Amino acid sequence: MELNELLERQTLAIELARKAGKMIMESSGLMDGVVDEKCSFADLVTESDKAVEKMVFDEIRKQYPMDKFIGEESANNMDEWSDEPTWIIDPIDGTTNFVHNFPFCCISIGFTYKRIPCLGVIYHPHLDHLYSAIKGHGAKLTKSNGETIDIHVRPCPSLSKALVVAELGSQRDEAKRKCVFKNLESIGWASHGIRSLGSAALNICSVASGQLDAFFEFGPYIWDICAGVVIAMEAGGYVCDTTGGKLDLQGRRFIFASNEKLAKEIADKLVVQMDFKNGEK
Ligand code: LIP
C-alpha cells in the first residue's frame, strides 16, 4: 500500500481517536451504569465500548467502504482477518479502568494490509496523549500542548535492570491463575519490579516511549495489540511470542521489549506457557 494511502488513513484514524476520546471522557465512571460481563466477572463491557466502536466503524466505512473490520465488541460478526485492508480496533482498551474511573484507558486503532500491521493510532484521553506510527516511518507522540515528538525505547541491558509491566487479565480459571502468578514470581523477582496498569495498548506505548522496559501477557486479542505492534517496532522495540519465537498476532501471548536480548531473557524465564491456539481458553 502506498504511503499516501496510509497517511490518508492515519489522518482519519487520528480524527476518530480524538472523537472517541471525547466520548470516553464524557461517559467514564460507569460503576453504576450498564456494565455487562463477558468471559468472567472481571471481563467487562459497557455501552460506551459499543458506542465508540460503532462510531469509529461507521465513520471509516463512509471513506473506505471496501476495507474490512475487526472490533472487540463485534468480534462475533465481523470480517475474518485476511490480506485485505483491515481495521482492527479496541474501542476502549482498559475497560475495567474505565468502569472504575481509573484514568488509564485508551482507544486503539490498528490497520493491517496483507496481514502486516502498518498503521497504529492509540489515544489516551485523560492525558491527551496521541501515539501514532506508520510502518517504516517512525513512532510519534503528540502531547497535550500540541507538541509532536519522536518516541524511542530506552536501552536496558538485562532483566535485572528492567521495570516490567504484566497483567492479571480478565480470565478467572485455574490454568490462567497458575500461568499469571508463577510467571509474575519468576519475572518480578528477577527485575527491578512489576507494574500492572490494565491496558495492553498503553502498556505498549509506555515501552515504546521509554517509560517501561518490557511488557508480557497471556490472553489479550489482536485488537489489544495491533496498533501497539506498529508503534513499538517503529520506536525501536522488539516484539515476539512468549516462547521467544515469531509473534502471532492471533496467538494471544506476547512479549514487547526495548531490545531482543531482554525479550529473550524474559522468554527464558517464563515458567508456565499457555497455548490459546490449541484449545486453552
Ligand atoms: C484489556 C487488556 C489488558 C488485559 C485485560 C483486558 P480490554 O483489554 O488491555 O491487557 O489484561 O484483561 O483484556 O478488555 O479492556 O479491551
Side-chain angles (χ1 to χ4, degrees), residues 88-241:
I88 302 177
I89 290 173
D90 190 340
I92 302 180
D93 184 60
T95 296
T96 301
N97 291 343
F98 169 73
V99 167
H100 288 271
N101 240 346
F102 181 68
F104 198 78
C105 64
C106 64
I107 175 164
S108 179
I109 301 176
F111 178 79
T112 63
Y113 179 53
K114 296 184 177 172
R115 290 173 184 259
I116 297 169
C118 44
L119 165 64
V121 171
I122 294 172
Y123 182 52
H124 185 182
H126 308 85
L127 295 182
D128 188 15
H129 280 182
L130 190 130
Y131 299 87
S132 180
I134 288 178
K135 183 173 171 50
H137 294 272
K140 300 184 184 304
L141 163 62
T142 300
K143 300 188 287 186
S144 57
N145 64 1
E147 182 193 4
T148 296
I149 59 171
D150 293 328
I151 57 172
H152 303 281
V153 295
R154 69 182 171 202
C156 180
S158 66
L159 180 57
S160 66
K161 297 280 193 292
L163 187 58
V164 180
V165 56
E167 301 289 349
L168 298 192
S170 38
Q171 290 170 247
R172 290 295 182 268
D173 56 80
E174 274 314 299
K176 184 67 179 313
R177 178 179 176 162
K178 181 180 172 203
C179 177
V180 166
F181 288 103
K182 290 289 185 192
N183 288 322
L184 273 178
E185 180 184 19
S186 177
I187 301 298
W189 214 243
S191 68
H192 275 181
I194 293 272
R195 300 294 179 266
S196 190
L197 301 168
S199 164
L202 287 179
N203 291 342
I204 297 166
C205 290
S206 298
V207 174
S209 46
Q211 297 162 337
L212 292 168
D213 300 298
F215 168 41
F216 73 92
E217 189 168 359
F218 294 82
Y221 294 85
I222 188 169
W223 46 75
D224 292 305
I225 66 169
C226 181
V229 166
V230 190
I231 292 167
M233 293 184 75
E234 288 303 317
Y238 184 83
V239 187
C240 63
D241 179 76

Side-chain angles (χ1 to χ4, degrees), residues 35-45 95-97 99-100 168-172:
V35 181
D36 291 325
E37 296 174 5
K38 295 192 287 190
C39 80
S40 81
F41 69 86
D43 188 13
L44 307 177
V45 59
T95 296
T96 301
N97 291 343
V99 167
H100 288 271
L168 298 192
S170 38
Q171 290 170 247
R172 290 295 182 268

